[in-house]
Amino acid sequence: MSTNNIKDLENRLWEAADHMRANSSLRLNEFAEPVLGLIFLKFAGVRFSKTEKEISEERKVKTKSHGGASVARERPVSSADYHAQGTLFVPEKARFSYLIELPEGTDMGKAVNDAMKEIEAENKELAGILPKSFQMLENRSIITLLKNFNQIPDDIEGDAFGRIYEYFLGKFAIADGSGGGEFFTPTSIVKLIVEILEPYKGYIYDPACGSGGMFVQSVEFIKRHFENGKKIKASREVSIYGQEKTDQTVRIAKMNLAIHGLSGDIRQGNTYYEDLHRSVGKFDFAMANPPFNVNGIDKERIKDDPRFPYGIPRNDNGNYLWIQIFLSALKNTGRAGFVMANAASDAGHTEKDIRARMIEDDLVDVVISVGSNMFYNVGLPVTLWFFDKGKRKTDRKNKILFIDARNIYHQIDRAHRDWTDEQIKQIADIARSYRGEKGAKEYENIKGLCKVATLEEVREAQYSLNPGGYVGMSESSQSDAGNFVTSFEALHKDFSELTKKAHDLEKKIDENFKKIL
């Protein structure tokens, strides 16, 4: 399918599902998981049918090559044959085609729950993962959803299925407002983090993995950038490890991975207190969008945790705990990229002490300011931080690249923005130039956009990691600022005149009212 056709399909599918949600008594989180489960079920069925045909064709070829004798006695096809080709085995009663043809009066909630159980029984990696809450939905709602998702053509590619799943994740995140950000990070933010980290190969860790978008985009990055035309299976180049606080989000992440043909070790646990992957010094890449400004963390429980080598900050805020979790997870040459609250860039007291020590240890590599309205759960601007433990042995020693990308965005609607692929490339190319990568343009500072600051300059700035303080304002921005002042003065003058007229009218009305009395 073409990109435009997929977009049209996504919109039609969402409009139908959202209409049903609006007319149901279910809360959003109760509705989201079954819907995502049905998208998964359709995907699994399509992949299964394709593999079934391929296996059948292979057996026909064997039969012909052996005169039709030996293969006739070959063992029956089993789930192992499908697993060997990276395909989930889908029993007959778990297939979309079977469910959609069930007679009127069938308990559809039970039928779909049973379908999920059968898939889990045949595919052990999905045990306990698929949703089984379909009896919360009315029969007619399940039938309507089945018919809705049956619009997805059987010849659709796996990548397109992944796009549809991510599209629904994003839509649910928008609809859920502040809660949506707990499981979904906007794709354009994830893409930029991955483009700058460049996770070609190795162990990837996300201790706040949400729906698993960082993992999916890491594999997509490899597909886009595999070197010298070398044919590789991207999913085999990286090993995926994640942790997430809620069981529901872990299930959503595992379904997301499966729909993209991936698998990973995703575990449920509170990352502040539980290091389920024994992460210290283990990973080539760490990437995440952690919750910001969390308070109430029990610091007594973590005071001796090796993940916090720079100590526990005294203030009641989890930002600098997360920062150290990412840093401590890296191998000696590892890289980390993550979203962080703007306030962390200039935070004072013990947080400043920790930041200063990390900067002096030459761990901070790139810092990017991101404009407002890029996230579903927070309208405020944020910052992207990047660590590189190996930079001390490069020309970037004692240097930090600052990028101010607040004026780079694509307006989706009044309340939401993202980046286009071209804009992501534009920002990532600055980092590639800074690193002196093969094929990249020679780096140069651009006022208002990017600057490579020396360690001495960062010291003079009191260890601030706020890009705006280093890159300055472009000439156009200064001109805009001047125009804003002029415009504001004119508006203030107009407002003053209107206020004076309003007072005059009030006075006349009062005088006329007194005459009437």
Side-chain angles (χ1 to χ4, degrees), residues 4-45:
N4 287 337
N5 286 340
I6 293 172
K7 285 182 179 178
D8 290 341
L9 177 62
E10 289 170 344
N11 290 332
R12 290 201 311 273
L13 295 175
W14 171 255
E15 285 173 8
D18 192 45
H19 177 73
M20 188 175 302
R21 177 183 69 85
N23 289 282
S24 78
S25 60
L26 297 179
R27 296 192 300 271
L28 185 71
N29 65 327
E30 294 173 325
F31 187 75
E33 200 172 2
V35 167
L36 293 170
L38 287 178
I39 296 174
F40 172 85
L41 195 64
K42 176 67 176 178
F43 160 78

Side-chain angles (χ1 to χ4, degrees), residues 162-215:
R163 274 192 51 179
I164 292 169
Y165 191 87
E166 295 257 327
Y167 177 82
F168 267 72
L169 282 174
K171 284 292 190 180
F172 280 126
I174 292 173
D176 199 21
S178 61
E182 293 182 5
F183 66 86
F184 186 75
T185 303
T187 302
S188 65
I189 293 285
V190 180
K191 279 185 176 180
L192 180 61
I193 289 173
V194 169
E195 285 289 335
I196 291 177
L197 281 186
E198 300 180 324
Y200 283 107
K201 189 180 184 70
Y203 292 84
I204 299 177
Y205 180 51
D206 184 344
C209 68
S211 61
M214 298 285 180
F215 304 130

Side-chain angles (χ1 to χ4, degrees), residues 91-102:
E92 183 181 355
K93 291 185 178 180
R95 296 171 198 170
F96 230 75
S97 55
Y98 172 84
L99 293 169
I100 210 164
E101 294 296 332
L102 286 173

Side-chain angles (χ1 to χ4, degrees), residues 355-380:
R355 186 172 66 251
R357 289 169 62 194
M358 291 189 299
I359 291 169
E360 290 289 348
D361 287 343
D362 207 10
L363 299 167
V364 183
D365 190 31
V366 182
V367 185
I368 302 175
S369 286
V370 179
S372 58
N373 297 327
M374 295 286 282
F375 286 78
Y376 302 133
N377 60 328
V378 58
L380 296 173

Side-chain angles (χ1 to χ4, degrees), residues 403-421:
I403 301 175
D404 189 344
R406 288 176 296 178
N407 293 320
I408 301 174
Y409 59 85
H410 163 250
Q411 196 76 36
I412 303 172
D413 55 39
R414 186 180 61 82
H416 301 100
R417 296 171 173 175
D418 67 2
W419 286 312
T420 64
D421 287 344

Side-chain angles (χ1 to χ4, degrees), residues 387-498:
F387 292 142
D388 188 343
K389 278 194 168 182
K391 73 184 282 268
R392 288 168 283 194
K393 296 181 180 179
T394 72
D395 292 339
R396 293 175 281 127
K397 181 179 179 180
N398 293 329
K399 296 176 183 176
I400 300 174
L401 170 64
F402 292 96
I403 301 175
D404 189 344
R406 288 176 296 178
N407 293 320
I408 301 174
Y409 59 85
H410 163 250
Q411 196 76 36
I412 303 172
D413 55 39
R414 186 180 61 82
H416 301 100
R417 296 171 173 175
D418 67 2
W419 286 312
T420 64
D421 287 344
E422 291 76 16
Q423 288 169 332
I424 291 169
K425 183 178 184 301
Q426 175 191 353
I427 300 167
D429 280 350
I430 297 172
R432 294 188 179 109
S433 295
Y434 158 67
R435 290 182 182 139
E437 293 184 9
K438 184 178 179 181
K441 294 180 180 178
E442 185 177 351
Y443 176 82
E444 62 176 318
N445 292 330
I446 300 174
K447 194 170 184 181
L449 177 61
C450 60
K451 177 182 170 65
V452 173
T454 64
L455 177 57
E456 189 55 41
E457 288 176 300
V458 177
R459 284 176 184 147
E460 290 175 2
Q462 299 298 305
Y463 297 102
S464 168
L465 290 178
N466 184 345
Y470 296 93
V471 306
M473 291 178 65
S474 66
E475 291 181 6
S476 61
S477 296
Q478 290 171 345
S479 174
D480 290 343
N483 292 336
F484 172 77
V485 172
T486 303
S487 299
F488 183 80
E489 288 174 346
L491 286 170
H492 182 69
K493 182 179 179 182
D494 290 343
F495 180 74
S496 298
E497 290 175 357
L498 288 170

